[in-house]
Amino acid sequence: MKKKTMMKAAGFLAAVALLASAMPATDPISKESGATVVNTTTLAKEVRGFRGATPVKIYIKKGKVVKVEALKNQETPQYFSRAKAVLAQYEGKAANKAAKMKVDGVTGATYSSRALVKNVQAGLKYYEAHR
């Protein structure tokens, strides 16, 4: 009887471990190729462009923004490609200063570019608070 109970418990724990490993990571900060990466998918899900969320990944090395990459979104491709120009303005800047930068939206892609800026600001603010 005792062996049967232990087998059930072991099976249950194995199932829990399997489910936990299948769930996506929710921590917005990770490490990738020596850089700290902040993913704003869960951080700034309320930030909307013209057609929805516009998450980004921010790559930071030695306290400086190395790259900002737009992630999958539902924005109109021809306008979003123009809006992504705002992301390059953060590259090479110290993360704490980049978080406070005033970046103008791109004419013709105002909603998308403003949403990208808000995502970067949210990601850098989170980075500063949790590094």
Side-chain angles (χ1 to χ4, degrees):
M1 186 75 140
K2 204 174 198 183
K3 189 174 184 180
K4 198 174 192 181
T5 303
M6 287 183 66
M7 294 283 283
K8 284 183 181 179
F12 175 75
L13 290 175
V16 168
L18 181 65
L19 287 173
S21 68
M23 295 176 71
T26 57
D27 189 7
I29 294 183
S30 63
K31 295 284 186 184
E32 194 175 305
S33 301
T36 300
V37 182
V38 181
N39 184 326
T40 65
T41 301
T42 58
L43 280 180
K45 55 186 163 187
E46 76 286 346
V47 175
R48 304 305 237 192
F50 188 71
R51 299 181 74 194
T54 55
V56 298
K57 271 187 173 180
I58 307 163
Y59 295 80
I60 303 164
K61 276 188 180 178
K62 297 181 182 177
K64 288 192 175 194
V65 177
V66 177
K67 174 174 82 169
V68 182
E69 175 182 287
L71 298 176
K72 186 177 177 178
N73 59 71
Q74 299 300 314
E75 299 297 278
T76 306
Q78 82 182 59
Y79 295 108
F80 193 70
S81 64
R82 291 170 54 195
K84 289 193 302 186
V86 300
L87 301 178
Q89 295 181 46
Y90 293 99
E91 294 175 6
K93 305 285 191 291
N96 60 347
K97 292 189 178 177
K100 298 171 187 161
M101 285 175 48
K102 300 288 184 207
V103 178
D104 291 330
V106 175
T107 302
T110 307
Y111 290 108
S112 298
S113 54
R114 283 184 185 163
L116 286 171
V117 168
K118 287 180 182 179
N119 267 279
V120 172
Q121 289 171 339
L124 291 173
K125 182 178 178 183
Y126 187 87
Y127 169 77
E128 288 296 318
H130 295 92
R131 63 181 172 143

